[in-house]
Amino acid sequence: MENQTEKTNNDNDNLSMINPPKSAYLWLAGIFAIMFAVIYIGMLLGVHFFTVSSGNNVMSKTSANLMFAVLLLAVLATMYMYIIFSRKELLFNLKIPAALSTIFAVVAIANIFISYLNPYAMLLSLTALWALPFCKKRDAFVLNTFSTLVAAFMLIDIMDDDTLFAVAIFVAIAGLVGGAIGAYSFPNAMTRTASILRAFVTVAAVMALLGVMLSAYSLDVQPFIDNIIYIGVSAAGQLMLSVVLVPIVESVFNIVTDYKLVELTNHKSPLIHRLSVEAPGTFNHCMAVANFAEICANAIGEDPYLARACAYYHDMGKLNNAMYFTENQAGYNPHDDILPEVSAEIIRQHTIDGYNICKENRIPEEVARVTIEHHGTLPIVYFFNKAKTLTDGEVDMADYRYRGKTPTSKIAAILMICDSAEAAIRAMDNPDGERVNKLLSAMIDERIKLGQFANCDITMRDLNAVRGAIVGAFGGLYHKRIKYGGRGDAHV
């Protein structure tokens, strides 16, 4: 009966991982409602401060404003449908939709006010360039497309002559092309330098495209020359803003980006430096696990930067009781002097302590969560067996289990395997590829039987790829060093 209940709970957990909570849909609708209100108010303020309406023109402006509201509502409704049908996974972490909505609203309002200055100064590619570090490439392109439509609608709203209609078409085309270049150029390059180059190529392409369209429309280069200053200012502004604004969103929403992950894994970052000083054995273990985790992440198409960062921080909870963990001991083991149930409590507490330490230091949730998931609910077998030898009665395994959560992501599952694998391989006498392969197979099978991967979408294909990646990396990370005779030993 107990096993059936546990299976039912696991099935419910699996269902919750497939389908986001219903509240997420309401929260997302609320985010979009706020975005609609902010953009529409921005449009009304632009009309109020930059246009002069009198007499019969008041009614026409009112109608135009209502039309803009309808079109804006249609755009936001389409964006909402795109997320819930094509990017449902974003509903599990509403920080991302909130950040993307903020980016969309800020650029939309900026373009509304800029349109009264000169339509060619609009920030047509900024949405894609700004959003790309926080989402997939197609999300950045789609978001920029909708942002461009809003900009074009705004031009139609303030249109007083036929030329503005042509400008609106130019803006729409340039925005679509710029968004595509901004989102899809420089594949797999998410460094600050690559971002600057991406922005430069994007805005240069948009400038060239606007020049061609303006010249072709009037069969004269003069319209382009007349607006070159505005186009140039727009290009320079997007180039600078795309670099400056990303860290602001990172900080405000505490979102993981590749830039942020690189900073987190810097050995001079506060917690990593503290770990290296206070628990050097654990620090070295984390570095070794990180090497395995990065290789495994690449093997199954996961983010290697995130895998490495999670490995760096997964044992941060050991800072509270560093000497109670084998890798930090130098001969004396304090567990020899205490009861096994006390030892088990100290050992399993490090997952909870690690999560708390990470949250206190504003480590992003995606990284912090792995600290409490990398042991799942596995039993602490050593102290369970020790307790059985010290008592004649039965020992409850529940008292010797980790009280964390089972992995909810592929990265957490990778860390669970790599963490145990690194320690086990290091403890083996004369390990070789065949023995390591058998060890990993048994380790993965045990975790499957104990339901440790029930709440994440990792597949058997992924698990086999992870096992193969670790076996393949084993020779490079734990190679035997050649012994040289004489004085050469001192330099090897």
Side-chain angles (χ1 to χ4, degrees):
M1 183 65 180
E2 182 178 351
N3 291 337
Q4 182 64 34
T5 302
E6 183 176 352
K7 182 180 184 301
T8 301
N9 290 336
N10 286 337
D11 290 342
N12 290 336
D13 289 337
N14 287 333
L15 185 62
S16 68
M17 288 305 300
I18 297 172
N19 296 313
K22 292 181 180 179
S23 60
Y25 294 93
L26 296 177
W27 279 108
L28 183 65
I31 291 172
F32 275 72
I34 293 172
M35 183 164 50
F36 172 81
V38 169
I39 295 174
Y40 189 67
I41 291 173
M43 186 275 298
L44 292 178
L45 290 175
V47 170
H48 176 75
F49 286 109
F50 293 101
T51 62
V52 178
S53 299
S54 61
N56 295 331
N57 197 37
V58 175
M59 184 59 67
S60 63
K61 283 297 180 185
T62 300
S63 300
N65 293 344
L66 289 176
M67 180 59 70
F68 178 83
V70 172
L71 293 173
L72 176 61
L73 188 61
V75 166
L76 297 183
T78 306
M79 287 174 58
Y80 181 85
M81 300 298 286
Y82 167 77
I83 291 177
I84 65 173
F85 286 112
S86 297
R87 296 288 283 122
K88 186 182 292 186
E89 57 267 32
L90 292 178
L91 295 174
F92 290 103
N93 183 7
L94 287 174
K95 289 191 302 182
I96 302 296
L100 296 179
S101 298
T102 300
I103 292 170
F104 183 89
V106 169
V107 175
I109 293 173
N111 281 334
I112 286 172
F113 284 91
I114 292 173
S115 66
Y116 290 99
L117 172 66
N118 187 294
Y120 297 107
M122 282 183 165
L123 310 172
L124 302 179
S125 307
L126 181 58
T127 304
L129 296 172
W130 191 2
L132 186 59
F134 308 104
C135 60
K136 292 184 176 181
K137 293 181 178 182
R138 62 169 174 154
D139 299 332
F141 172 71
V142 169
L143 199 67
N144 197 86
T145 299
F146 287 130
S147 177
T148 299
L149 289 177
V150 172
F153 292 158
M154 186 61 205
L155 291 179
I156 295 173
D157 182 51
I158 65 174
M159 193 186 318
D160 288 327
D161 55 61
D162 294 337
T163 58
L164 269 180
F165 182 78
V167 174
I169 298 298
F170 294 164
V171 164
I173 295 174
L176 291 173
V177 173
I181 296 174
Y184 291 102
S185 60
F186 294 89
N188 302 322
M190 286 301 292
T191 63
R192 304 286 183 185
T193 301
S195 295
I196 294 174
L197 289 174
R198 178 186 292 108
F200 178 80
V201 169
T202 302
V203 298
V206 171
M207 285 184 66
L209 181 62
L210 284 172
V212 171
M213 287 192 297
L214 276 170
S215 301
Y217 177 72
S218 61
L219 299 179
D220 187 3
V221 296
Q222 192 60 42
F224 176 69
I225 295 174
D226 293 340
N227 292 284
I228 186 65
I229 294 178
Y230 296 101
I231 297 173
V233 169
S234 172
Q238 291 178 88
L239 187 61
M240 292 185 294
L241 289 173
S242 63
V243 177
V244 172
L245 294 176
V246 169
I248 296 176
V249 174
E250 282 180 343
S251 179
V252 170
F253 292 94
N254 199 23
I255 294 176
V256 168
T257 65
D258 287 346
Y259 310 137
K260 181 71 172 179
L261 292 172
V262 170
E263 293 171 0
L264 287 174
T265 53
N266 188 319
H267 288 196
K268 293 182 180 180
S269 61
L271 280 181
I272 299 299
H273 176 71
R274 183 183 165 194
L275 188 68
S276 68
V277 173
E278 298 180 24
T282 298
F283 172 79
N284 290 327
H285 163 69
C286 289
M287 299 302 106
V289 172
N291 290 330
F292 278 141
E294 185 173 356
I295 293 168
C296 292
N298 278 319
I300 64 173
E302 289 295 303
D303 187 348
Y305 296 105
L306 180 58
R308 174 166 286 275
C310 290
Y312 272 44
Y313 287 85
H314 80 280
D315 270 346
M316 203 58 67
K318 292 182 179 180
L319 284 171
N320 287 357
N321 290 291
M323 295 310 298
Y324 283 87
F325 296 89
T326 306
E327 66 268 22
N328 299 312
Q329 295 168 1
Y332 170 67
N333 186 350
H335 291 290
D336 294 338
D337 301 325
I338 58 179
L339 295 172
E341 56 263 36
V342 177
S343 294
E345 182 60 33
I346 293 172
I347 295 299
R348 66 186 168 201
Q349 184 64 31
H350 87 272
T351 61
I352 299 172
D353 289 344
Y355 183 79
N356 292 335
I357 289 172
C358 286
K359 297 307 288 183
E360 289 169 2
N361 288 269
R362 293 201 80 233
I363 302 301
E365 177 67 20
E366 292 85 345
V367 177
R369 188 168 60 241
V370 173
T371 62
I372 208 167
E373 293 180 357
H374 74 281
H375 284 299
T377 57
L378 290 170
I380 308 174
V381 177
Y382 177 83
F383 292 112
F384 173 72
N385 291 333
K386 182 178 179 180
K388 289 198 298 184
T389 64
L390 296 177
T391 181
D392 295 330
E394 292 188 3
V395 180
D396 189 354
M397 175 65 84
D399 295 332
Y400 291 86
R401 285 186 180 275
Y402 282 98
R403 293 173 181 161
K405 299 178 180 179
T406 56
T408 57
S409 67
K410 290 185 179 183
I411 294 292
I414 288 173
L415 259 294
M416 173 177 278
I417 297 169
C418 292
D419 180 47
S420 299
E422 194 282 329
I425 294 172
R426 189 178 292 276
M428 290 177 68
D429 294 327
N430 301 317
D432 55 41
E434 184 178 353
R435 293 182 64 195
V436 170
N437 188 46
K438 289 181 179 179
L439 171 72
L440 289 170
S441 295
M443 187 181 295
I444 291 172
D445 288 343
E446 179 190 30
R447 280 150 180 74
I448 292 174
K449 291 177 182 177
L450 293 174
Q452 299 304 297
F453 303 136
N455 290 332
C456 66
D457 59 352
I458 197 164
T459 64
M460 285 303 303
R461 183 190 296 271
D462 293 331
L463 292 172
N464 287 331
V466 167
R467 175 176 54 79
I470 295 176
V471 173
F474 160 75
L477 296 178
Y478 290 104
H479 64 280
K480 290 186 177 180
R481 301 180 68 183
I482 300 174
K483 292 184 178 180
Y484 297 89
R487 296 173 59 189
D489 287 351
H491 304 289
V492 178

